[in-house]
Amino acid sequence: MRSSSYAFHEEYFKLLWGNSPALNALNLADNEGLDYDKDLNLLFAASGDFRNIVATVNTLPGNYSNAATTVINDRDDLLTARTVIFLLIALIEDSALAAELILHLWYSSRLTPTLMSVLGSKITPEMSRSVEAAEDKNQGDLISQSWSLHSATVSVHLSRTQWYFILKVLQAKHSVAESEPNRQSITVSKRRSDHRERHYYNLTPSMRLCSHKFRQGGVLLPFGYSDKNFNVVNPTLFNPETGNWQQRDIADPLLGYDIASVSQFPVGGSPKEDINGRLYFYVLSSLRKFHHQLRSIKLKFVVHGVDATILPKHLPSTLGFATNI
């Protein structure tokens, strides 16, 4: 693990959490109309994190009976890996378990042993089989793997190196004793205290407490919840080789959502000022709806991991029809 003296070298950081509110890229109500009865083809050419995909898919009407194909692409291997992992978890039958696991893989630096065991038993074997299928392929070849459940299909088209990388991430073993001090050397660095205070200035006193607690603890939970069972490192938020935290200190899950929608989200018994608690239940509810959409609408997700400028040449073969991008 690298020394924390490297903490603010920009080359080591990734944008794993969105820094603008989730966008519904389709918005049928204001465009084609909620009674639209043709197939839909959506493209996220440089997708970033998962929030825009969830926000868009969740707005499809329950009575939509045609097919919706969503192409998701990002040239960053870790972002692509996380997208693939999240989509495969969404195929798990247990809605509550799937939503909880995606939420904590997305935003928490540590997982419970139960959540980690699900990841190890459900997702890692699938990646192992994908790596085996890629072993006799050329380095530049795209290796395609597909998974289906009910009305949903996840079709992934990656290079051999990218398949190996996903498996490497899932199999990484990091020590909490090393990973947490490394993360905190960035999120609560004494050298950046002025930066944090300027951020806190725009928050209410209670929200400052929530924000600081998350920076210190690293687990997205309501304020009063215990995180003592979260004692396994989340392998998707740390460098699989060095074990270093992958994001800058300005990274904040709340930046990926409309704060008014989060703060007004109805949660029985949750204090109004517990903004992280509201965010936890808001994201959990969104992921449960996403899980439901995969079982009630004909959805196909096509995942690539290339530069957006060369994506068009791959789409005819992976989509099965010509494109005019």
Side-chain angles (χ1 to χ4, degrees):
M1 181 175 292
R2 277 195 294 266
S3 160
S4 61
S5 64
Y6 286 84
F8 294 97
H9 286 191
E10 293 290 327
E11 61 194 277
Y12 299 123
F13 291 117
K14 296 180 180 291
L15 190 63
L16 303 180
W17 302 336
N19 58 3
S20 59
L23 173 70
N24 170 14
L26 184 57
N27 197 8
L28 278 179
D30 294 333
N31 292 295
E32 291 84 354
L34 293 176
D35 58 351
Y36 188 69
D37 61 354
K38 296 181 176 63
D39 290 349
L40 289 167
N41 294 294
L42 308 172
L43 171 63
F44 295 87
S47 64
D49 81 343
F50 204 48
R51 72 196 189 287
N52 295 328
I53 293 114
V54 173
T56 301
V57 169
N58 281 1
T59 63
L60 287 171
N63 62 353
Y64 180 73
S65 59
N66 288 69
T69 299
T70 301
V71 176
I72 306 169
N73 177 73
D74 201 286
R75 68 180 181 179
D76 185 277
D77 286 347
L78 186 55
L79 279 166
T80 300
R82 281 163 59 86
T83 295
V84 172
I85 292 167
F86 293 173
L87 286 171
L88 293 187
I89 294 170
L91 297 180
I92 294 174
E93 287 286 6
D94 188 329
S95 172
L97 177 61
E100 188 82 19
L101 180 51
I102 294 174
L103 181 147
H104 287 300
L105 279 172
W106 199 345
Y107 293 123
S108 296
S109 65
R110 303 186 308 283
L111 308 174
T112 66
T114 299
L115 292 176
M116 192 64 187
S117 69
V118 174
L119 190 65
S121 63
K122 299 287 188 182
I123 310 304
T124 303
E126 297 299 328
M127 292 303 103
S128 295
R129 283 189 279 273
S130 298
V131 165
E132 290 174 6
E135 285 181 351
D136 60 346
K137 303 295 183 181
N138 295 324
Q139 185 58 41
D141 292 345
L142 280 186
I143 295 95
S144 302
Q145 296 289 328
S146 294
W147 294 265
S148 297
L149 184 68
H150 300 299
S151 58
T153 299
V154 176
S155 180
V156 183
H157 311 272
L158 302 175
S159 69
R160 183 175 65 182
T161 301
Q162 289 170 317
W163 284 114
Y164 274 90
F165 179 77
I166 299 176
L167 183 61
K168 185 176 184 178
V169 168
L170 290 169
Q171 292 181 334
K173 304 296 182 185
H174 305 305
S175 163
V176 171
E178 291 185 338
S179 66
E180 280 302 289
N182 176 269
R183 182 188 63 80
Q184 291 170 351
S185 75
I186 295 173
T187 59
V188 289
S189 168
K190 291 182 179 179
R191 290 182 294 159
R192 299 278 285 179
S193 59
D194 180 64
H195 171 85
R196 282 195 305 280
E197 292 302 325
R198 281 184 279 132
H199 168 70
Y200 292 158
Y201 178 80
N202 295 314
L203 304 178
T204 65
S206 297
M207 288 181 179
R208 290 173 202 161
L209 282 175
C210 293
S211 179
H212 194 68
K213 181 181 180 182
F214 179 73
R215 284 174 175 270
Q216 287 183 313
V219 179
L220 183 60
L221 287 170
F223 192 84
Y225 282 35
S226 171
D227 65 358
K228 71 175 184 179
N229 291 327
F230 288 79
N231 54 22
V232 183
V233 176
N234 176 357
T236 74
L237 286 176
F238 292 84
N239 186 299
E241 294 181 351
T242 66
N244 282 347
W245 181 247
Q246 299 265 59
Q247 301 194 89
R248 297 182 64 200
D249 61 338
I250 62 172
D252 185 343
L254 192 60
L255 294 178
Y257 301 92
D258 174 54
I259 192 168
S261 299
V262 172
S263 61
Q264 295 168 13
F265 187 71
V267 180
S270 177
K272 181 180 179 181
E273 294 290 317
D274 181 7
I275 193 64
N276 285 350
R278 297 272 170 162
L279 179 62
Y280 169 84
F281 288 111
Y282 180 88
V283 175
L284 201 63
S285 175
S286 296
L287 290 171
R288 287 180 175 176
K289 183 172 182 180
F290 183 78
H291 186 274
H292 172 76
Q293 295 286 76
L294 266 63
R295 282 146 182 79
S296 58
I297 298 174
K298 289 182 283 188
L299 294 169
K300 181 178 182 179
F301 299 93
V302 179
V303 181
H304 283 273
V306 299
D307 192 287
T309 59
I310 64 171
L311 178 62
K313 76 175 187 179
H314 294 295
L315 293 183
S317 60
T318 56
L319 290 178
F321 55 82
T323 65
N324 58 1
I325 297 175

